[in-house]
Amino acid sequence: MCRFFRYNGEREEIAAMLHEETGLWEKGYSRIAGVDEVGRGCLFGDVVAAAVIMPQGLILEGVDDSKKLSEKKREELYDVIMKEAIAVGIGTIDVKTIDEINIKQASRLAMKLAVEQLDPAPDFLLVDAEQVDLDIRQMAIIHGDATSQSIAAASIIAKVTRDRMCREWDKLHPEYGIAKHKGYATRQHREMLIEYGPTPLHRKLFIRNVMVMQQELF
């Protein structure tokens, strides 16, 4: 089970994940949103971003970069975050748009859409290594999903959301193993691309070089 409690200056190791948030609360910001995305490096499917505002001083034990957590733990924390958060927003950008505007711009647009869904609106953004195109004060933090609880919470929401989408995509294209590798360029995925060719949900700009490289191996 996930435990949560109010920050009171103790439990320093866990409270370290609130270092940035604590400094901002002390400056008078009260609705701090963590923002992160998943699926940026995939060959297949949408890019998904999430924005999360957690209550001031609330510590969720176990929250961390979603990539470091088991699927079971992510699902457990997803439910806790959705229950305890002041607001959660999710933004998705489809493959057609990714191919049109490039993945960097698509990721930033997904983040913008996620933030725009928040109600109440945030007064400060903590963003994982990116800039959100909104007139809201913000800070980009390298590896923020491993150092900020707010960003880590957004990472978990985005990851679980996209993984669930992958399970649905897998039903449409079961031969590719999307539910297993989540659209990343694993050996299995590359081999299936060579055997079956790309689907409409594959990112054309991403798979072009991958397929050339894979063919050179045979």
Side-chain angles (χ1 to χ4, degrees):
M1 293 294 292
C2 174
R3 294 184 293 163
F4 51 95
F5 38 85
R6 294 286 173 181
Y7 173 59
N8 60 5
E10 300 176 353
R11 303 184 67 89
E12 293 182 0
E13 181 177 349
I14 297 174
M17 287 288 283
L18 284 176
H19 174 75
E20 298 295 347
E21 289 88 337
T22 299
L24 291 168
W25 288 326
E26 291 173 351
K27 293 178 181 178
Y29 295 101
S30 60
R31 300 184 305 279
I32 302 166
V35 187
D36 200 6
E37 56 76 28
V38 297
R40 186 167 182 155
C42 294
L43 306 180
F44 182 103
D46 300 8
V47 63
V48 177
V52 177
I53 303 174
M54 297 302 297
Q56 185 168 334
L58 185 69
I59 298 174
L60 296 179
E61 190 170 24
V63 166
D64 202 343
D65 175 2
S66 64
K67 297 184 292 296
K68 298 179 180 178
L69 303 173
S70 67
E71 181 175 356
K72 179 180 179 182
K73 188 64 174 179
R74 287 195 300 265
E75 290 281 352
E76 176 186 333
L77 287 167
Y78 175 96
D79 291 338
V80 174
I81 293 165
M82 293 297 288
K83 178 181 178 182
E84 299 296 329
I86 293 171
V88 175
I90 297 172
T92 64
I93 300 298
D94 63 19
V95 171
K96 182 176 183 294
T97 305
I98 292 171
D99 284 336
E100 288 174 352
I101 67 175
N102 76 51
I103 187 58
K104 180 177 177 62
Q105 296 307 318
S107 297
R108 295 179 71 171
L109 180 56
M111 289 180 170
K112 179 181 179 181
L113 294 176
V115 173
E116 289 177 333
Q117 289 186 23
L118 294 173
D119 185 15
D123 55 13
F124 201 98
L125 306 179
L126 293 174
V127 189
D128 187 40
E130 260 297 355
Q131 182 79 15
V132 180
D133 187 22
L134 288 168
D135 189 21
I136 302 173
R137 296 206 58 183
Q138 56 191 276
M139 180 191 304
I141 304 176
I142 304 299
H143 302 307
D145 48 6
T147 59
S148 162
Q149 178 178 270
S150 300
I151 297 176
S155 171
I156 291 166
I157 296 299
K159 174 64 174 168
V160 171
T161 298
R162 192 177 190 280
D163 283 358
R164 292 175 178 178
M165 294 169 71
C166 285
R167 290 194 286 271
E168 294 303 311
W169 291 327
D170 188 73
K171 297 174 184 177
L172 297 175
H173 305 286
E175 65 274 20
Y176 290 88
I178 302 299
K180 180 179 180 181
H181 54 66
K182 308 301 189 294
Y184 287 93
T186 63
R187 179 174 180 176
Q188 176 199 9
H189 193 181
R190 298 194 309 269
E191 290 176 350
M192 294 303 99
L193 271 169
I194 295 299
E195 183 171 354
Y196 297 107
T199 72
L201 287 172
H202 279 96
R203 303 174 187 175
K204 295 181 178 63
L205 295 177
F206 278 57
I207 65 173
R208 189 174 300 150
N209 290 336
V210 170
M211 292 184 72
V212 169
M213 290 174 62
Q214 185 71 9
Q215 287 171 329
E216 290 174 350
L217 296 175
F218 291 90

